[in-house]
Amino acid sequence: MLYDLTVVQFSKMLNNLNHILDKAEAFAALKRVDMAVLLNSRLAPDQFNLIRQVQIVCDTAKIGVARLTGHMDSVPTHDDSETTLEELRQRITSVLNYLEGFSEADFGHAEKVHVSQPRWGSKYLTGYEFAIEHAIPNFYFHITTAYAILRHNGVDVGKKDYLGTMPYKVPLI
């Protein structure tokens, strides 16, 4: 289950984020808005801008999965120097490629692994707690904030852009 909740859903949402960024680029071209204005926009003065939101989304996905599976040594590094839309797309693609390297088998002990971070001191969460209480909510917080920044700036994005395609079923009659 943790594989589906992280790798599968993080990948889907990162692809949705790419789609939303495509719409932002089209909006900027149509309205003759410098893309840098959108990339540096924020919802509140004390909140991160769009660039940083995307960086955190990517970091949460790659590091969260790595912590759950014990693969911290293979996490791609990004120096947080992105300033353009193309650089953000490259970062998203790098994380998507990284996530593709995982399978359900990698999550065999993920629920019980002890996960910690330097800012937690000696405290830890089980893998299950880390996924449910930290990684997944943090991922969605920052991806939602990125969406909201663009929506607030007039980019024509809606719930269907955020959710992406759904695996609808047709009832058999």
Side-chain angles (χ1 to χ4, degrees):
M1 169 89 56
L2 287 181
Y3 170 81
D4 291 328
L5 291 172
T6 58
V7 173
V8 174
Q9 286 301 291
F10 288 173
S11 297
K12 176 185 177 182
M13 294 304 292
L14 286 167
N15 281 309
N16 294 353
L17 179 58
N18 263 332
H19 168 72
I20 290 167
L21 292 173
D22 289 345
K23 289 187 100 172
E25 182 178 41
F27 169 85
L30 178 69
K31 299 291 187 177
R32 296 189 176 137
V33 173
D34 183 352
M35 191 64 200
V37 171
L38 293 177
L39 294 174
N40 289 292
S41 292
R42 59 187 78 225
L43 292 176
D46 65 343
Q47 195 171 40
F48 292 130
N49 65 16
L50 178 63
I51 290 171
R52 189 71 184 124
Q53 299 296 338
V54 173
Q55 291 168 339
I56 295 170
V57 166
C58 290
D59 289 351
T60 301
K62 69 183 183 181
I63 295 170
V65 168
R67 283 191 170 123
L68 288 169
T69 60
H71 287 92
M72 284 300 292
D73 58 333
S74 68
V75 178
T77 58
H78 299 99
D79 60 8
D80 296 340
S81 63
E82 294 87 1
T83 59
T84 68
L85 183 59
E86 185 54 37
E87 290 170 341
L88 288 177
R89 285 183 177 134
Q90 289 171 5
R91 185 175 183 136
I92 293 168
T93 298
S94 169
V95 173
L96 284 167
N97 290 338
Y98 177 68
L99 294 177
E100 282 179 11
F102 290 90
S103 69
E104 276 190 72
D106 293 312
F107 286 77
H109 300 289
E111 288 190 15
K112 292 181 173 60
V113 69
H114 290 191
V115 178
S116 188
Q117 296 184 15
R119 70 176 182 266
W120 295 353
S122 62
K123 299 174 190 169
Y124 72 90
L125 297 171
T126 66
Y128 178 81
E129 293 164 337
F130 170 73
I132 300 301
E133 303 276 341
H134 181 78
I136 294 168
N138 193 55
F139 178 86
Y140 281 104
F141 173 85
H142 289 285
I143 205 162
T144 301
T145 304
Y147 165 91
I149 288 169
L150 292 172
R151 180 85 169 112
H152 176 75
N153 278 279
V155 177
D156 185 22
V157 291
K159 190 182 290 187
K160 287 184 179 182
D161 298 301
Y162 178 84
L163 294 176
T165 58
M166 302 294 282
Y168 294 118
K169 312 295 184 277
V170 177
L172 299 174
I173 297 178

